[in-house]
Amino acid sequence: MMMRRSLSLPTLLLTATLALPALAQQPKPANTTAPFADALAGRTTVKVLPNGLTIVISERHEAPVFSFHTTVNVGSVDDPQGQSGLAHMFEHIAFKGTTEIGTKNYEQEKVALANVEQLNRIYETEAHRSHPDQHQLERLKKAREEAIEAAQRFVIPNQFSELAESNGAVGLNASTSEDSTDYFWSMPSNRLELWAYLESSRIGWPVAREFYKERDVVNEERRMRIDSSPQGRLVEEFLAAAYMAHPYGRPGVGWESDITQVTATEAMEFHRKYYAPSNIVVALVGDIDPKTALPLLEKYFGRIPAGPLAPPLTTVEPHQNAERTVVLHEASQPIYIEGYHRPDFHSPDDAVYEAISDIFSNGRTSRLYRSLVRDQRIALAAEGFTGFPGQKYPSMFAFYALPMQGHTNAELADAIHKELDRMKTEDVTDDELARFKASERAALLRSLGDNASLAGQLADYQTRFGDWKAMFQDLADIDNVTKADIRRVAQQTFVTANRTVARIEFKAPTAPQAPAVEGGAR
């Protein structure tokens, strides 16, 4: 379904593949998903606990397992100023354990961690003076390192994950997007109570242990994904150019200066602000009986202290009035990106943007593949997609393409613009529209067939709309998309003044200079 498409432009650029099989055209059956919607509603229970946390349970008793998906309605877009990357950082901390898991003696560890924070605060104060005392700085650095080592003696490394995995958990993972932070895995259903204890403890009583070690790991992620990657640098420059005010323009992994200065104290303040139960949805799908499970889940998740909803983000991106362009010269594969601002997912035209994305990019029958890759043979890959870098706030409809050897980014731009002009002036075909609607129905049915996928869908829709059944309203909106809608939205969106362009132009590496020889020839 369109609301669960998570698109990573750097990943798309690096994989550079459009080898998705096209769905055959199908006539639109009446109420094709109605039986599934009714069946799903009949076995799905929603419970909002007194502390505000929402639990969604969908029964599926075919096998003695269940999958869960916890969605916390906070992402990198919510990182405080000067603390970019903090939402992602806390995702890492969430696997470090709790006041009861991952520690040999929490009361003593708590004192040791407080000492780390105090010494780190003194060290950072000295380090940021205009003229720090280097001898004092070295002394403080050593003291801080000794405090970190002392706190480490209380840690039982990886106990949280090992406890889950030793009881049958598979697929332990998490992700931080611009809009949300998500945690998920699957487990035998006879371990439901253990899972409830683990997950509720992680939400309610996490501990930022091994924080500064993990901070270095996150900073290394940034170096690998952005600083050492031409594609990563290009995407970062693209978003920074496209957004003047809104935090969608910041890198989700964070700026290096922010990552290296954020503290465990700030991470726990972030947790208190955004991990309130009223900001969290937990969806479970599998061999679970709500009659017996709900009292158990209320016992564990209901003990988490209530907290207020975090204040909404109020920054609004100003209207773009002129084309913006970024050019990087790299010894790298040339790449072309362009993007156009579009409304958020609440827009009545959200399904129309999905239709345009599908018609441009879904498989070998899509317009960009046929034109740029197959017929003109000027591109290795070409794709258009919507909802980048997020969906909660007004975002981008973006295109990318990689030129074939002997061809240029300028050729790709011209070819993409011709396809955009065609969409503005000509109706899409009956086949294209029918294929889009069939593919969306198929995507929904596939998402209903897998426990983990369905849990993600339920958590996502319940978080975004306050009702998981909105996924079927999305499908109704898709069925109502018309040719005229597509032409109208294309005319409104794909205009030069609304365009941001970023590209890599190949530049041969400079040969290293030979070192000068002192003294001349003998």
Side-chain angles (χ1 to χ4, degrees):
M1 277 301 289
M2 62 185 183
M3 292 307 301
R4 288 301 304 173
R5 286 181 180 164
S6 179
L7 294 167
S8 168
L9 185 50
T11 300
L12 289 171
L13 293 171
L14 289 168
T15 56
T17 177
L18 287 172
L20 299 172
L23 291 164
Q25 180 187 353
Q26 301 175 16
K28 174 187 168 184
N31 298 320
T32 183
T33 57
F36 298 95
D38 292 343
L40 188 59
R43 54 185 171 84
T44 300
T45 303
V46 178
K47 173 73 173 181
V48 180
L49 303 185
N51 61 7
L53 187 139
T54 300
I55 294 174
V56 184
I57 298 176
S58 187
E59 297 180 72
R60 184 172 284 166
H61 301 290
E62 290 84 352
V65 295
F66 73 95
S67 298
F68 87 94
H69 199 109
T70 295
T71 294
V72 187
N73 192 23
V74 58
S76 58
V77 74
D78 301 296
D79 289 338
Q81 184 66 30
Q83 299 173 20
S84 62
L86 191 51
H88 175 226
M89 184 72 197
F90 198 84
E91 173 208 316
H92 286 241
I93 296 305
F95 285 93
K96 292 298 179 180
T98 70
T99 56
E100 296 179 333
I101 304 169
T103 185
K104 297 173 183 177
N105 184 320
Y106 179 65
E107 290 306 314
Q108 295 181 29
E109 183 188 23
K110 183 179 179 181
V111 174
L113 290 173
N115 188 43
V116 171
E117 288 303 284
Q118 181 181 8
L119 289 171
N120 182 72
R121 186 161 51 249
I122 297 171
Y123 171 80
E124 293 287 347
T125 299
E126 181 65 31
H128 291 101
R129 293 185 190 279
S130 57
H131 300 288
D133 182 327
Q134 293 302 318
H135 293 293
Q136 174 77 340
L137 203 59
E138 285 300 317
R139 187 184 67 80
L140 292 171
K141 181 179 180 182
K142 183 179 179 181
R144 184 184 67 168
E145 290 172 350
E146 289 173 350
I148 291 173
E149 184 179 345
Q152 186 66 29
R153 297 190 188 110
F154 297 102
V155 176
I156 304 176
N158 305 314
Q159 188 180 38
F160 184 93
S161 299
E162 290 175 357
L163 182 58
E165 290 174 338
S166 66
N167 282 274
V170 295
L172 274 79
N173 215 332
S175 66
T176 305
S177 69
E178 277 70 19
D179 295 341
S180 68
T181 308
D182 299 83
Y183 303 91
F184 42 89
W185 74 68
S186 300
M187 206 167 191
S189 52
N190 63 0
R191 293 294 186 270
L192 178 65
E193 184 167 8
L194 173 63
W195 166 83
Y197 165 69
L198 290 173
E199 189 66 4
S200 63
S201 297
R202 173 164 67 178
I203 293 171
W205 299 274
V207 175
R209 56 174 58 95
E210 299 183 303
F211 181 86
Y212 296 97
K213 174 183 174 182
E214 205 63 32
R215 191 176 72 173
D216 292 340
V217 172
V218 171
N219 198 37
E220 183 61 26
E221 279 189 49
R222 182 194 157 82
R223 284 193 287 266
M224 292 177 61
R225 289 164 50 182
I226 298 178
D227 298 335
S228 300
S229 167
Q231 295 91 347
R233 292 196 298 273
L234 183 69
V235 172
E236 186 172 83
E237 294 282 357
F238 168 72
L239 290 173
Y243 289 94
M244 297 175 62
H246 196 274
Y248 271 166
R250 300 181 310 198
V253 71
W255 302 112
E256 182 179 8
S257 62
D258 289 351
I259 297 169
T260 56
Q261 295 180 58
V262 70
T263 68
T265 300
E266 290 168 337
M268 295 312 295
E269 289 173 354
F270 182 87
H271 171 265
R272 283 188 287 273
K273 183 175 181 179
Y274 289 106
Y275 277 66
S278 53
N279 212 35
I280 297 173
V281 173
V282 181
L284 302 96
V285 178
D287 186 28
I288 300 174
D289 183 351
K291 293 180 182 178
T292 56
L294 274 176
L296 180 69
L297 300 180
E298 288 187 53
K299 170 186 172 183
Y300 286 98
F301 289 93
R303 65 194 177 124
I304 302 171
L309 276 174
L313 181 66
T314 56
T315 300
V316 176
E317 180 65 21
H319 179 74
Q320 184 170 331
N321 297 304
E323 184 177 25
R324 303 167 187 168
T325 302
V326 172
V327 182
L328 301 186
H329 297 278
E330 302 268 0
S332 171
Q333 162 71 46
I335 300 169
Y336 181 81
I337 305 172
E338 69 175 40
Y340 301 82
H341 290 280
R342 55 145 292 179
D344 64 28
F345 73 95
H346 286 295
S347 167
D349 288 324
D350 195 46
V352 183
Y353 285 104
E354 286 293 332
I356 295 172
S357 176
D358 186 272
I359 291 166
F360 268 126
S361 302
N362 192 358
R364 294 177 180 269
T365 61
S366 65
R367 290 191 175 189
L368 291 183
Y369 183 88
R370 284 184 299 167
S371 176
L372 279 70
V373 180
R374 187 192 69 185
D375 297 341
Q376 298 183 65
R377 298 192 176 185
I378 61 174
L380 294 167
E383 187 164 343
F385 51 94
T386 188
F388 180 77
Q391 298 173 327
K392 188 187 296 186
Y393 304 102
S395 59
M396 304 287 287
F397 193 110
F399 298 87
Y400 85 92
L402 284 67
M404 291 275 286
Q405 188 173 5
H407 295 277
T408 67
N409 284 327
E411 291 177 86
L412 301 182
D414 288 343
I416 290 172
H417 297 161
K418 286 179 181 178
E419 291 299 327
L420 289 174
D421 289 340
R422 180 181 162 208
M423 186 161 280
K424 295 178 193 177
T425 57
E426 301 174 12
D427 282 338
V428 300
T429 67
D430 292 335
D431 286 352
E432 287 174 319
L433 193 56
R435 197 157 44 234
F436 156 65
K437 295 179 180 182
S439 70
E440 290 297 327
R441 287 193 295 274
L444 173 61
L445 297 182
R446 283 194 298 270
S447 74
L448 299 180
D450 174 77
N451 284 0
S453 176
L454 177 56
Q457 291 273 29
L458 293 172
D460 179 72
Y461 276 91
Q462 189 71 34
T463 298
R464 292 182 185 273
F465 295 96
D467 185 355
W468 63 266
K469 291 186 287 295
M471 70 173 72
F472 297 106
Q473 180 57 51
D474 270 355
L475 199 61
D477 294 341
I478 286 166
D479 281 338
N480 290 329
V481 172
T482 68
K483 298 177 183 180
D485 290 330
I486 293 173
R487 195 170 63 250
R488 170 182 55 80
V489 169
Q491 290 169 352
Q492 292 172 352
T493 304
F494 303 124
V495 296
T496 303
N498 190 35
R499 183 162 66 216
T500 300
V501 174
R503 65 182 193 271
I504 291 178
E505 300 291 355
F506 179 78
K507 178 183 178 182
T510 304
Q513 293 183 348
V517 178
E518 295 184 3
R522 291 180 181 266

